[in-house]
Amino acid sequence: MKRLLIFSILCLVGTVSMKAQETGQTWMGGGINFHVTSTDGHTNTSVGISPEIGYKFADKWAIGTEISYTHRKQYYESYGDESYNNFRIAPFLRSYIVQKEWGSFFLDGSVHYSYSDFADGVHTFGLGLQPGVAIHLSERISFISKLGWLGYSYSSFDDINTHSAGLDLNLSQVTFGINIHF
């Protein structure tokens, strides 16, 4: 079954009329995410949307920004439900590492600010790198996937300040989306 699925995808990719994004083009699109974690008496669910807009200003370079919203709901067996929202803005510079007719591999370097309405509010600033792939489904539409995060962030919550740095390559960091080029 797995081989049949891979073969079907390769056939589809091979038969679709594709064209790489050209310099001077703008794109709009974004991604969605959904994640559930369950541990003895505790469930954490998050769902989010992350629209983005960008402009390819040179053969291997583009700029853009992503604005995202995530809703998280946590259930604790000991005291019930708790939910909060997270808003994030992340301007980025995109470098196209490999560009082919079928698509491209890219690396986004971004600076972000986010605010969560958890408790009295959490403010986070960060910068980092995020790899991705774009597969051209047609002349104007691309499938986008981004995985992971390598970077640094600083969070402030009440009188608690948190500095974190590292590499995060787990499935909760995967996003999928569609971009439309015009």
Side-chain angles (χ1 to χ4, degrees):
M1 185 67 173
K2 183 178 178 182
R3 288 181 184 163
L4 179 61
L5 177 63
I6 292 171
F7 179 74
S8 299
I9 291 171
L10 289 175
C11 287
L12 177 66
V13 168
T15 60
V16 174
S17 171
M18 295 174 273
K19 183 178 175 186
Q21 184 181 1
E22 297 174 4
T23 301
Q25 274 190 323
T26 300
W27 78 86
M28 287 181 73
I32 57 172
N33 59 45
F34 177 76
H35 186 78
V36 176
T37 304
S38 186
T39 312
D40 299 329
H42 174 250
T43 302
N44 185 354
T45 305
S46 69
V47 61
I49 184 168
S50 53
E52 74 177 35
I53 187 166
Y55 175 74
K56 188 171 182 184
F57 64 88
D59 184 46
K60 294 194 175 265
W61 296 98
I63 58 171
T65 192
E66 179 181 279
I67 298 171
S68 66
Y69 166 77
T70 304
H71 176 75
R72 296 185 193 280
K73 184 174 184 178
Q74 297 180 0
Y75 170 76
Y76 297 94
E77 199 172 82
S78 57
Y79 63 87
D81 288 340
E82 178 177 76
S83 65
Y84 56 95
N85 302 295
N86 188 65
F87 301 93
R88 180 176 182 249
I89 184 164
F92 61 85
L93 177 66
R94 177 169 291 173
S95 174
Y96 292 93
I97 309 299
V98 175
Q99 295 184 91
K100 300 289 184 183
E101 285 298 313
W102 58 265
S104 60
F105 290 100
F106 59 85
L107 187 64
D108 285 352
S110 68
V111 176
H112 73 265
Y113 166 75
S114 65
Y115 173 77
S116 174
D117 63 5
F118 178 75
D120 290 332
V122 180
H123 299 272
T124 303
F125 300 91
L127 59 106
L129 301 172
Q130 185 175 35
V133 62
I135 299 172
H136 304 305
L137 302 177
S138 73
E139 199 171 302
R140 298 267 180 222
I141 299 174
S142 295
F143 169 79
I144 301 291
S145 181
K146 298 177 187 177
L147 167 69
W149 173 260
L150 170 65
Y152 166 81
S153 67
Y154 165 79
S155 295
S156 174
F157 170 67
D158 286 335
D159 290 334
I160 302 169
N161 297 318
T162 304
H163 300 268
S164 62
L167 173 65
D168 193 357
L169 289 176
N170 65 55
L171 290 178
S172 69
Q173 294 293 323
V174 177
T175 61
F176 300 103
I178 298 290
N179 281 356
I180 300 171
H181 310 274
F182 51 95

